[in-house]
Amino acid sequence: MSATIKFSLADSASRRDGTCATKTIRNEPFARQGEIGLSKCVAGGLFLILLLIGVTAQAAGHADWTESELTILRSLALSSLPPLPAAPSNRFADNPAAVELGRRLFFDRRLSSNGEVACASCHDPERDFQDGRSLAKGVGQANRRAMPLVGMAYSPWLFWDGRKDSQWAQALGPLENANEHNLSRGRCAKLILEHYKPEYSTVFGAPPDLSGVPENAGPLGDKRARRAWSGLDDTARDAVNRVFANAGKAIAAYERRIVWDESRFDAYVRSLGEQASARPENSLSTEEIAGLKLFIGKGHCVECHRGPMFTDLDFHNTGVPVRAGLPKDLGRLAGAERVVADEFNCLGRYSDARLEQCRELNFINKDNRRLLRAYKPPSLRNVAERPPYMHAGQFASLQAVIGHYNRAPAAPAGHSEIKPLHLKAAEIRQLKAFLKTLSGTIRSPAAAPSAFQSYPNVFDSHHKEPVGQ
Amino acid sequence: MNNLTLPHIALGMTLAMTIFPSWAMADDRISDKGLYRVRWQSQAPEVTTDLIHDWLLHVETVDRRPADNLAITISAHMPGHAHGLPTQPRATDYLGNGDYRIAGMKFQMSGVWWVRFDFWRKNRRDWVIFEVPVK
Ligand SMILES: [Cu+2]
């Protein structure tokens, strides 16, 4: 492609290469402050001195953000997050009875082969709806790290590889995954009607009769389950699928209301718009502000971790290493195939969306080598609260993550999009300090139900009011 | 930064970006082999929560006649960045008079993008690249 390009933008093309020229551009505000005639190559020492000048100015209460930096800061603030988007494939998404049913299903450990695994097992409200493990643990051990569920109503793709295109379709995956809830689809549908028939009927209408469906029957289960599944007629399979999909829709109605509250960073951005006299003095420390400056500048973090969710919700190969002992992982390349083939996708018969409401799926980018080992950047909100990091928990700490981006090693497969940053130890500390300012409380509908009371670590003082009900 | 260029808020907001009004329609460009004169126009996004939107692509021959019956493919990337669009846009309709609807445009990063259109007609291929600053 490059051979065909008839014009060149040397500046853009080289801006990620970490050269000294890049630094002079990035330090524009500092240079302007002192009118220092920077040569094209700035020594690291001088850079640090200039940084300190900037930091001193901020400590004195004079934020020295440029207009374009301020625009970026505002775009990152939680106040820029729009209201919950519609969920056209789930017409029960905003039905209060569905939210309540979904909440109960979410915490119900009976929905597993051993009676010990609920959605909340790996998506623990006390841990920001994740589990703190490198690899999720259900009935067995999964091949990926559990993702935090917060804010995922805004995401067009679910899972690290985006193999689902709605929260309700996502919720179905673990239920019949052998390493997670390990239910056959037939068993799952029967359990739901067994325990929640009145609630189900209230939301979805009269449930189908599943008495003719064997306990162990499903398209993804063991050999016996698959044989039993193919032995069912279309009507029976459709009845099971319908109950199964509806369970997902109820769970999604609950999950979509799991949202962030303001962090210290958000309060800081808000204070920037206020009179200097009304501004809280130290809402961010000089070190945190320096980290923020790196985040939106030299660190290039904001290119993918952008907007109020601190993610572009797309897929990127950043050269994250392979975790030994796991099956080959193609990332988005496989995820795109799977979501197109998924019978519960936006275009499938269990979706409530019209064709024109499925544009993400309709215009999906697949069959593209750039998708090999590309994964969705998670939101960085509350990131400091949930090590380990990456899709299989490859990095134990933020320090290790930033170190990876700083070195930018070659990708195990495909091509990494990142280039070395040449951050110094002090700058890595500043970035880390900034990331910690992104922590805030998480809000979710109501408290855990009685069915889940025996589960440890679910009740938490900071889960209080229902959201959006 | 004034209100006009504040990123519009929509799905994920993280994806939100507005093409500068002054860039919403590019000047004509002549394709690489000189077969076509091309310009594009971004359609205002629909009032929905996502930012997938259509472009209108006008293609005429260099002697100013509408170029119909073209097969068109679309690709884009950011110079210096190793990623493309999150979507795969397609030319979905021929609207007559050399106008093609390009559906499924979506950018996930602000900055300069190079958007390339390839044209095929009777085994003759030509292409054009537009520089598009995405805010
Ligand atoms: Cu980019």
Side-chain angles (χ1 to χ4, degrees), chain A residues 15-16 303-304 316 417, chain B residues 78 80-83 108-110 112-113:
Chain A
R15 54 200 268 270
R16 305 191 73 178
E303 287 174 10
C304 294
H316 300 276
E417 295 177 19
Chain B
M78 300 181 80
H81 293 204
H83 66 84
Q108 81 278 39
M109 198 181 285
S110 57
V112 173
W113 283 80

Side-chain angles (χ1 to χ4, degrees), chain A residues 306 311-312 314 360 365, chain B residues 11 14-15 85 88 106 108:
Chain A
R306 68 190 305 272
T311 167
D312 69 355
D314 195 30
E360 289 284 355
N365 186 346
Chain B
L11 171 67
T14 57
L15 316 170
L85 293 172
Q88 177 54 69
K106 179 180 176 183
Q108 81 278 39

Side-chain angles (χ1 to χ4, degrees), chain B residues 8-125:
Chain B
H8 290 142
I9 296 163
L11 171 67
M13 175 61 198
T14 57
L15 316 170
M17 51 199 58
T18 309
I19 294 161
F20 276 115
S22 58
W23 285 82
M25 181 192 272
D27 292 338
D28 291 10
R29 282 193 85 88
I30 304 296
S31 58
D32 184 71
K33 295 188 177 117
L35 297 180
Y36 306 113
R37 177 187 298 271
V38 190
R39 67 172 176 268
W40 61 267
Q41 188 181 356
S42 171
Q43 306 294 88
E46 293 170 28
V47 188
T48 55
T49 53
D50 71 26
L51 281 159
I52 295 182
H53 64 288
D54 295 356
W55 280 18
L56 198 68
L57 193 71
H58 180 75
V59 191
E60 51 189 49
T61 58
V62 281
D63 54 351
R64 299 279 185 180
R65 283 174 306 160
D68 53 13
N69 286 314
L70 292 175
I72 301 176
T73 58
I74 301 99
S75 60
H77 80 287
M78 300 181 80
H81 293 204
H83 66 84
L85 293 172
T87 52
Q88 177 54 69
R90 294 191 299 273
T92 53
D93 302 284
Y94 180 61
L95 306 168
N97 197 35
D99 289 336
Y100 295 81
R101 187 198 314 281
I102 308 296
M105 294 297 293
K106 179 180 176 183
F107 302 96
Q108 81 278 39
M109 198 181 285
S110 57
V112 173
W113 283 80
W114 287 345
V115 180
R116 171 174 168 149
F117 297 95
D118 282 75
F119 306 101
W120 277 271
R121 188 182 193 179
K122 293 174 184 160
N123 293 328
R124 276 203 85 180
R125 177 189 182 186

Side-chain angles (χ1 to χ4, degrees), chain A residues 89-110:
Chain A
S89 70
N90 178 5
R91 65 194 166 95
F92 307 101
D94 297 314
N95 175 327
V99 175
E100 171 59 13
L101 173 58
R103 186 177 64 77
R104 293 177 62 186
L105 294 174
F106 187 86
F107 291 95
D108 195 338
R109 293 180 293 165
R110 294 172 299 188

